[in-house]
Amino acid sequence: LNFFKIMDVDLKSTVLTLSVWLRLDWVDERLRFNATESVDYLTVPANRGETGLIWLPDIELYNSAEPIATTLAETEAIVRPSGYTQWSRLGTIK
């Protein structure tokens, strides 16, 4: 979790709003593929639920005012031939 900017500090309600990058990476052996000269990685839509093509980790912050699934952008995951997967999402957390 990389903090990008402090957007708001509400002392009355004790809520801090931050602009962040959530960057996750993991290895999924089921996503391994044979690389070719023209393909170094694949981009895969990172959707949750029944329409999801790949497994995504469930991440939630303790004491957050809003779930991060609703405040971070939906993006694509990058999958390397070894199964190494990267998923970056920009958004706000409270």
Side-chain angles (χ1 to χ4, degrees), residues 47-68:
N47 300 329
R48 297 202 170 273
E50 299 285 326
T51 60
L53 298 175
I54 62 172
W55 174 85
L56 299 171
D58 291 326
I59 301 292
E60 200 59 57
L61 300 174
Y62 288 115
N63 297 328
S64 61
E66 297 175 359
I68 63 171

Side-chain angles (χ1 to χ4, degrees), residues 11-28:
L11 296 175
K12 187 174 184 179
S13 64
T14 65
V15 174
L16 174 66
T17 304
L18 301 169
S19 178
V20 298
W21 274 103
L22 176 64
R23 294 187 173 117
L24 303 171
D25 59 323
W26 65 93
V27 176
D28 190 336

